[in-house]
Amino acid sequence: MDRSARDFYDHPVFQHDRLHLETPAIQGLRDELHRWLWTGATGGLILGAARVGKTTAVRTLASQLRARDNTPIPVYYVSMPLRDQHTVMTVFRQLCWSVGLRSANHDRADHLADRFLHYIADRAVESDSRYAVLIVDEMQRLTPLQFGPFAELHDRLRLLDMALTHFFVGNDQESSELLEACEQPRYAHIHGRFFAQRTTFPGLTSREQVHFCLSQYDRLRYPADGPTYTGYFLPEAEQQGWRLASLAGDLWRVFREYQTAYAIDSWGMQYFVATVNTLLTDFLADLGVEAFDDEMVHECVRISGLVPALVRPA
């Protein structure tokens, strides 16, 4: 691949971890997380369907969380792995790994807990903030017992006059059994501390929201002083006044067919972005905007993987 080709495929549209579209759901989640922080909540729960965009949302918002005085709050992110053994050691080891701290086979849970706690405390001194947030993704992979380490971290940091808030992120259907277990009296300290506050994170639910996202392709630029995302792939069409957002009604109408047939609550961002990026970079860029039709959208939806083989019509 020559240099020009490498430059072309460096565009954020091809680098999914660099494509950050604002959505109404992200805006709402930002407000909700700040409400939790500013009212002194010790934790909160964010639930949503698989591939709806929860992870992208919380990782995007991690750099935007502020205390009441508008100072940045240090945020740490950990994704819980799927393991055969569900132990406290697994949690502490994953926490250390998430921030680049060493761990050895001979380490005990106490060692790892101390190591991670000291790391958080040192960072607090460096940032001159007594607040910190720990985002725990894929929480449905935990057991009730494994929430003990998070409670321990909160309690020990409180002794150091630090406020650690946990945001747990999970798939709604897969989390139901765990949440029911945590409602048992013996886990009251876990439920009350971490799950009293909760919110649901949806995908796109209206034509207006689709338009809101598409309009960002017409506004965002790459590089910063370069063309818009739309203009990068469709320079002539854009010069003639065409905008990607003009397809919002058509895309939403086609999606509604799938929504009705497969009882889909919302258009998950992973599938939406894959649909739009394929449409923009492969179909419209090659065939031209005048060739756009419903069949083109259907093919892009198919490529996005929105309807996996196991999904059956309602």
Side-chain angles (χ1 to χ4, degrees), residues 29-257:
L29 183 60
R30 182 190 298 110
D31 293 341
E32 188 73 359
L33 297 186
H34 278 120
R35 183 182 69 80
W36 293 349
L37 286 168
W38 294 354
T39 56
T42 54
L45 178 62
I46 304 164
L47 294 175
R51 304 294 181 263
V52 80
K54 303 182 299 297
T55 297
T56 299
V58 295
R59 301 204 72 160
T60 298
L61 294 177
S63 62
Q64 302 177 22
L65 297 182
R66 298 289 188 271
R68 280 186 177 273
D69 61 1
N70 203 39
T71 57
I73 296 177
V75 178
Y76 308 93
Y77 172 90
V78 61
S79 180
M80 300 313 302
L82 185 62
R83 293 287 186 266
D84 293 334
Q85 299 295 322
H86 297 89
T87 65
V88 167
M89 175 69 83
T90 298
V91 173
F92 282 127
R93 193 178 298 280
Q94 193 68 14
L95 287 171
C96 287
W97 180 87
S98 70
V99 294
L101 296 176
R102 64 176 179 82
S103 66
N105 290 335
H106 63 267
D107 281 325
R108 298 198 306 268
D110 288 346
H111 297 153
L112 299 178
D114 289 345
R115 203 167 295 153
F116 185 75
L117 184 142
H118 290 152
Y119 177 87
I120 298 294
D122 289 344
R123 287 286 305 274
V125 172
E126 293 172 4
S127 61
D128 193 27
S129 173
R130 59 176 297 271
Y131 300 98
V133 168
L134 177 59
I135 297 173
V136 184
D137 205 355
E138 303 293 356
M139 57 82 66
Q140 73 274 0
R141 295 173 178 169
L142 296 168
T143 65
L145 178 67
Q146 288 181 299
F147 284 92
F150 303 111
E152 176 185 339
L153 288 172
H154 175 271
D155 292 343
R156 292 180 64 183
L157 285 169
R158 186 171 57 181
L159 295 176
L160 300 176
D161 195 33
M162 280 193 61
L164 176 64
T165 303
H166 292 79
F167 295 150
F168 291 94
V169 185
N171 293 340
D172 47 10
Q173 294 183 340
E174 297 175 56
S175 300
S176 58
E177 184 176 344
L178 171 63
L179 293 174
E180 288 178 8
C182 288
E183 291 177 355
Q184 298 177 19
R186 59 177 169 162
Y187 296 120
H189 65 294
I190 297 297
H191 187 275
R193 186 176 302 200
F194 297 138
F195 302 143
Q197 308 284 340
R198 60 177 65 188
T199 188
T200 300
F201 186 83
L204 303 179
T205 59
S206 69
R207 175 200 173 282
E208 289 72 24
Q209 292 184 5
V210 170
H211 186 278
F212 183 83
C213 291
L214 293 179
S215 65
Q216 294 173 64
Y217 286 82
D218 297 325
R219 185 181 72 252
L220 295 173
R221 296 181 179 275
Y222 178 81
D225 59 349
T228 65
Y229 288 8
T230 299
Y232 191 92
F233 298 99
L234 301 169
E236 294 183 5
E238 186 184 60
Q239 289 173 7
Q240 295 171 7
W242 187 87
R243 297 293 182 266
L244 188 63
S246 66
L247 302 182
D250 296 295
L251 265 64
W252 180 249
R253 176 171 44 77
V254 171
F255 169 73
R256 286 281 292 147
E257 297 179 24

